[in-house]
Structure formats: C-alpha cells, structure tokens
Short mmCIF file of all heavy atoms in Angstrom, two decimals:
data_model
loop_
_atom_site.label_atom_id
_atom_site.label_comp_id
_atom_site.label_asym_id
_atom_site.label_seq_id
_atom_site.Cartn_x
_atom_site.Cartn_y
_atom_site.Cartn_z
N LEU A 172 39.12 39.71 15.80
CA LEU A 172 38.35 38.49 15.91
C LEU A 172 37.22 38.70 16.93
O LEU A 172 36.14 38.21 16.69
CB LEU A 172 39.33 37.37 16.36
CG LEU A 172 38.64 35.91 16.46
CD1 LEU A 172 38.10 35.55 15.06
CD2 LEU A 172 39.63 34.94 16.96
N ALA A 173 37.49 39.41 17.96
CA ALA A 173 36.42 39.63 18.98
C ALA A 173 35.28 40.49 18.40
O ALA A 173 34.09 40.21 18.61
CB ALA A 173 37.05 40.35 20.21
N LEU A 174 35.65 41.48 17.59
CA LEU A 174 34.64 42.31 16.98
C LEU A 174 33.86 41.50 15.97
O LEU A 174 32.66 41.67 15.88
CB LEU A 174 35.36 43.50 16.16
CG LEU A 174 35.90 44.64 17.08
CD1 LEU A 174 36.65 45.60 16.29
CD2 LEU A 174 34.78 45.35 17.86
N TYR A 175 34.56 40.65 15.22
CA TYR A 175 33.85 39.77 14.27
C TYR A 175 32.87 38.84 14.94
O TYR A 175 31.73 38.61 14.48
CB TYR A 175 34.88 38.96 13.47
CG TYR A 175 34.23 38.08 12.42
CD1 TYR A 175 33.73 38.59 11.25
CD2 TYR A 175 34.15 36.66 12.62
CE1 TYR A 175 33.10 37.74 10.26
CE2 TYR A 175 33.53 35.87 11.69
CZ TYR A 175 33.04 36.38 10.56
OH TYR A 175 32.52 35.56 9.61
N LEU A 176 33.26 38.29 16.05
CA LEU A 176 32.43 37.32 16.75
C LEU A 176 31.16 38.00 17.40
O LEU A 176 30.23 37.34 17.69
CB LEU A 176 33.19 36.58 17.87
CG LEU A 176 34.28 35.61 17.30
CD1 LEU A 176 35.01 34.99 18.49
CD2 LEU A 176 33.73 34.49 16.43
N GLN A 177 31.27 39.33 17.67
CA GLN A 177 30.15 40.00 18.22
C GLN A 177 29.11 40.57 17.24
O GLN A 177 28.14 41.18 17.58
CB GLN A 177 30.68 41.10 19.16
CG GLN A 177 31.47 40.71 20.29
CD GLN A 177 32.08 41.84 21.08
OE1 GLN A 177 31.59 42.91 21.06
NE2 GLN A 177 33.24 41.56 21.75
N THR A 178 29.40 40.42 15.92
CA THR A 178 28.55 40.90 14.89
C THR A 178 27.35 39.99 14.73
O THR A 178 27.31 38.87 15.24
CB THR A 178 29.26 41.07 13.57
OG1 THR A 178 29.91 39.80 13.18
CG2 THR A 178 30.39 42.11 13.66
N THR A 179 26.44 40.36 13.96
CA THR A 179 25.24 39.62 13.73
C THR A 179 25.51 38.50 12.70
O THR A 179 26.51 38.53 11.93
CB THR A 179 24.11 40.49 13.13
OG1 THR A 179 24.50 41.03 11.88
CG2 THR A 179 23.79 41.64 14.13
N VAL A 180 24.64 37.49 12.74
CA VAL A 180 24.81 36.39 11.82
C VAL A 180 24.67 36.85 10.38
O VAL A 180 25.36 36.32 9.49
CB VAL A 180 23.71 35.30 12.11
CG1 VAL A 180 23.82 34.17 11.12
CG2 VAL A 180 23.88 34.77 13.54
N GLU A 181 23.74 37.75 10.09
CA GLU A 181 23.62 38.31 8.78
C GLU A 181 24.92 38.98 8.26
O GLU A 181 25.26 38.79 7.13
CB GLU A 181 22.44 39.31 8.69
CG GLU A 181 21.11 38.71 8.91
CD GLU A 181 20.80 38.43 10.41
OE1 GLU A 181 21.64 38.85 11.24
OE2 GLU A 181 19.79 37.78 10.67
N PHE A 182 25.50 39.72 9.13
CA PHE A 182 26.75 40.36 8.76
C PHE A 182 27.86 39.36 8.48
O PHE A 182 28.69 39.44 7.52
CB PHE A 182 27.23 41.35 9.83
CG PHE A 182 28.60 42.04 9.52
CD1 PHE A 182 28.66 43.02 8.64
CD2 PHE A 182 29.76 41.54 10.15
CE1 PHE A 182 29.90 43.71 8.38
CE2 PHE A 182 30.99 42.09 9.89
CZ PHE A 182 31.04 43.17 9.00
N GLN A 183 27.96 38.31 9.31
CA GLN A 183 28.96 37.26 9.16
C GLN A 183 28.76 36.49 7.80
O GLN A 183 29.73 36.05 7.18
CB GLN A 183 28.94 36.30 10.30
CG GLN A 183 29.35 36.92 11.62
CD GLN A 183 29.34 35.97 12.84
OE1 GLN A 183 29.07 34.79 12.67
NE2 GLN A 183 29.54 36.51 14.03
N ASP A 184 27.51 36.36 7.36
CA ASP A 184 27.16 35.70 6.14
C ASP A 184 27.68 36.52 4.94
O ASP A 184 28.11 36.04 3.93
CB ASP A 184 25.74 35.37 6.07
CG ASP A 184 25.25 34.25 7.03
OD1 ASP A 184 26.12 33.52 7.48
OD2 ASP A 184 24.08 34.23 7.40
N GLU A 185 27.56 37.92 5.08
CA GLU A 185 27.86 38.80 4.03
C GLU A 185 29.36 39.07 3.99
O GLU A 185 29.92 39.38 2.98
CB GLU A 185 27.06 40.05 4.17
CG GLU A 185 25.56 39.92 4.04
CD GLU A 185 24.85 41.28 4.28
OE1 GLU A 185 25.54 42.26 4.60
OE2 GLU A 185 23.59 41.24 4.16
N MET A 186 30.02 38.89 5.15
CA MET A 186 31.45 39.26 5.19
C MET A 186 32.24 38.05 4.63
O MET A 186 32.23 36.92 5.11
CB MET A 186 31.84 39.45 6.68
CG MET A 186 33.32 39.70 6.87
SD MET A 186 33.79 41.39 6.26
CE MET A 186 35.48 41.45 6.90
N PRO A 187 33.04 38.33 3.55
CA PRO A 187 33.87 37.23 2.94
C PRO A 187 34.88 36.76 3.96
O PRO A 187 35.63 37.56 4.55
CB PRO A 187 34.52 37.89 1.76
CG PRO A 187 33.70 39.12 1.44
CD PRO A 187 33.15 39.57 2.75
N ILE A 188 34.95 35.46 4.23
CA ILE A 188 35.84 34.90 5.20
C ILE A 188 37.35 35.12 4.80
O ILE A 188 38.25 35.30 5.59
CB ILE A 188 35.56 33.41 5.49
CG1 ILE A 188 36.32 32.90 6.65
CG2 ILE A 188 35.89 32.59 4.21
CD1 ILE A 188 35.98 33.54 7.98
N GLY A 189 37.51 35.08 3.43
CA GLY A 189 38.85 35.28 2.92
C GLY A 189 39.40 36.69 3.27
O GLY A 189 40.60 36.92 3.49
N LYS A 190 38.46 37.67 3.24
CA LYS A 190 38.88 39.10 3.56
C LYS A 190 39.35 39.22 5.00
O LYS A 190 40.32 39.84 5.33
CB LYS A 190 37.71 40.04 3.29
CG LYS A 190 38.03 41.50 3.35
CD LYS A 190 36.86 42.36 2.90
CE LYS A 190 37.24 43.79 2.95
NZ LYS A 190 36.05 44.65 2.48
N LEU A 191 38.61 38.62 5.94
CA LEU A 191 38.95 38.63 7.32
C LEU A 191 40.27 37.87 7.59
O LEU A 191 41.15 38.33 8.30
CB LEU A 191 37.86 38.06 8.21
CG LEU A 191 38.10 37.98 9.69
CD1 LEU A 191 38.30 39.42 10.30
CD2 LEU A 191 37.03 37.27 10.41
N ALA A 192 40.39 36.67 6.95
CA ALA A 192 41.62 35.82 7.14
C ALA A 192 42.84 36.58 6.60
O ALA A 192 43.90 36.53 7.20
CB ALA A 192 41.43 34.51 6.54
N GLY A 193 42.60 37.21 5.41
CA GLY A 193 43.73 38.01 4.85
C GLY A 193 44.19 39.13 5.75
O GLY A 193 45.38 39.40 5.83
N SER A 194 43.23 39.77 6.33
CA SER A 194 43.58 40.87 7.30
C SER A 194 44.37 40.35 8.46
O SER A 194 45.31 40.95 8.94
CB SER A 194 42.33 41.60 7.73
OG SER A 194 41.64 42.21 6.62
N LEU A 195 43.89 39.29 9.10
CA LEU A 195 44.51 38.73 10.29
C LEU A 195 45.90 38.16 9.98
O LEU A 195 46.81 38.27 10.83
CB LEU A 195 43.64 37.58 10.84
CG LEU A 195 42.30 37.95 11.43
CD1 LEU A 195 41.47 36.76 11.88
CD2 LEU A 195 42.42 38.97 12.62
N SER A 196 46.11 37.58 8.86
CA SER A 196 47.35 36.85 8.57
C SER A 196 48.46 37.79 7.90
O SER A 196 49.63 37.68 8.13
CB SER A 196 47.13 35.72 7.66
OG SER A 196 46.61 36.10 6.38
N THR A 197 48.03 38.79 7.11
CA THR A 197 49.01 39.56 6.35
C THR A 197 48.92 41.06 6.67
O THR A 197 49.94 41.76 6.85
CB THR A 197 48.78 39.44 4.83
OG1 THR A 197 47.46 39.82 4.43
CG2 THR A 197 49.04 37.95 4.44
N GLU A 198 47.69 41.65 6.72
CA GLU A 198 47.56 43.01 6.95
C GLU A 198 47.97 43.53 8.37
O GLU A 198 48.49 44.63 8.50
CB GLU A 198 46.15 43.49 6.62
CG GLU A 198 45.81 43.35 5.11
CD GLU A 198 46.66 44.14 4.21
OE1 GLU A 198 47.07 45.27 4.64
OE2 GLU A 198 46.95 43.72 3.09
N VAL A 199 47.63 42.64 9.34
CA VAL A 199 47.99 43.05 10.75
C VAL A 199 49.45 43.20 10.93
O VAL A 199 49.88 44.19 11.53
CB VAL A 199 47.32 42.02 11.69
CG1 VAL A 199 47.88 42.32 13.11
CG2 VAL A 199 45.80 42.15 11.69
N PRO A 200 50.30 42.30 10.52
CA PRO A 200 51.77 42.50 10.69
C PRO A 200 52.23 43.71 9.91
O PRO A 200 53.13 44.41 10.45
CB PRO A 200 52.37 41.15 10.10
CG PRO A 200 51.31 40.18 10.26
CD PRO A 200 49.97 40.89 10.02
N LYS A 201 51.75 44.01 8.76
CA LYS A 201 52.09 45.20 8.02
C LYS A 201 51.72 46.44 8.76
O LYS A 201 52.45 47.41 8.78
CB LYS A 201 51.46 45.17 6.60
CG LYS A 201 52.00 44.13 5.66
CD LYS A 201 51.28 44.14 4.35
CE LYS A 201 51.79 43.12 3.39
NZ LYS A 201 51.08 43.12 2.08
N ALA A 202 50.57 46.48 9.42
CA ALA A 202 50.12 47.53 10.18
C ALA A 202 51.02 47.80 11.42
O ALA A 202 51.37 48.99 11.74
CB ALA A 202 48.74 47.34 10.68
N ALA A 203 51.45 46.71 12.02
CA ALA A 203 52.42 46.78 13.16
C ALA A 203 53.74 47.47 12.73
O ALA A 203 54.31 48.28 13.43
CB ALA A 203 52.59 45.46 13.79
N VAL A 204 54.14 47.00 11.53
CA VAL A 204 55.44 47.62 10.96
C VAL A 204 55.22 49.13 10.72
O VAL A 204 56.14 49.98 10.99
CB VAL A 204 55.92 46.86 9.79
CG1 VAL A 204 57.08 47.56 9.11
CG2 VAL A 204 56.26 45.45 10.09
N ALA A 205 54.06 49.47 10.20
CA ALA A 205 53.78 50.89 9.86
C ALA A 205 53.71 51.71 11.12
O ALA A 205 54.18 52.90 11.14
CB ALA A 205 52.43 51.00 9.11
N VAL A 206 53.25 51.17 12.26
CA VAL A 206 53.27 51.94 13.48
C VAL A 206 54.66 52.31 13.94
O VAL A 206 54.86 53.38 14.47
CB VAL A 206 52.56 51.03 14.54
CG1 VAL A 206 52.73 51.67 15.93
CG2 VAL A 206 51.08 51.00 14.26
N PHE A 207 55.60 51.45 13.61
CA PHE A 207 56.97 51.70 14.08
C PHE A 207 57.78 52.55 13.07
O PHE A 207 58.93 52.86 13.36
CB PHE A 207 57.77 50.35 14.29
CG PHE A 207 57.57 49.81 15.67
CD1 PHE A 207 56.46 49.01 16.04
CD2 PHE A 207 58.55 50.03 16.62
CE1 PHE A 207 56.42 48.62 17.27
CE2 PHE A 207 58.47 49.62 17.87
CZ PHE A 207 57.34 48.80 18.25
N ALA A 208 57.21 52.90 11.94
CA ALA A 208 57.80 53.75 11.00
C ALA A 208 58.25 55.05 11.57
O ALA A 208 59.39 55.52 11.42
CB ALA A 208 56.99 53.97 9.76
N PRO A 209 57.38 55.80 12.28
CA PRO A 209 57.90 57.06 12.95
C PRO A 209 58.88 56.87 14.00
O PRO A 209 59.84 57.69 14.18
CB PRO A 209 56.54 57.63 13.67
CG PRO A 209 55.45 56.98 12.88
CD PRO A 209 55.98 55.59 12.47
N VAL A 210 58.89 55.67 14.70
CA VAL A 210 59.91 55.40 15.65
C VAL A 210 61.32 55.23 14.99
O VAL A 210 62.29 55.75 15.44
CB VAL A 210 59.52 54.12 16.53
CG1 VAL A 210 60.59 53.78 17.46
CG2 VAL A 210 58.17 54.32 17.16
N GLU A 211 61.31 54.44 13.90
CA GLU A 211 62.48 54.31 13.14
C GLU A 211 63.03 55.61 12.58
O GLU A 211 64.26 55.87 12.60
CB GLU A 211 62.32 53.32 12.00
CG GLU A 211 62.03 51.86 12.48
CD GLU A 211 63.21 51.21 13.22
OE1 GLU A 211 64.36 51.55 12.83
OE2 GLU A 211 62.99 50.50 14.14
N LEU A 212 62.14 56.48 12.16
CA LEU A 212 62.55 57.81 11.68
C LEU A 212 63.18 58.57 12.83
O LEU A 212 64.22 59.20 12.60
CB LEU A 212 61.39 58.54 11.16
CG LEU A 212 61.62 59.90 10.58
CD1 LEU A 212 62.61 59.88 9.40
CD2 LEU A 212 60.34 60.64 10.13
#
C-alpha cells in the first residue's frame, strides 16, 4: 500500500484497483503460507 501511494497519478489511473485489492486480500496470505513451506519441511 505504501508503494502504491508513492506512485504517480498516471500509474494509479492505469493500475486496476481490483488487481491491487486482490493482491492485498488473497495473494498476500498465500505468500505468507508459501514462506513457511520450507520451515514446515
């Protein structure tokens, strides 16, 4: 979110809001689980 807020207005207009929201709500938790995969192994 901090990186997104520091981007230019043109980039924010071109960036689909659904793509960012999807990453924050679903992809981030999956990434955290993936980080722990080697630990579980």
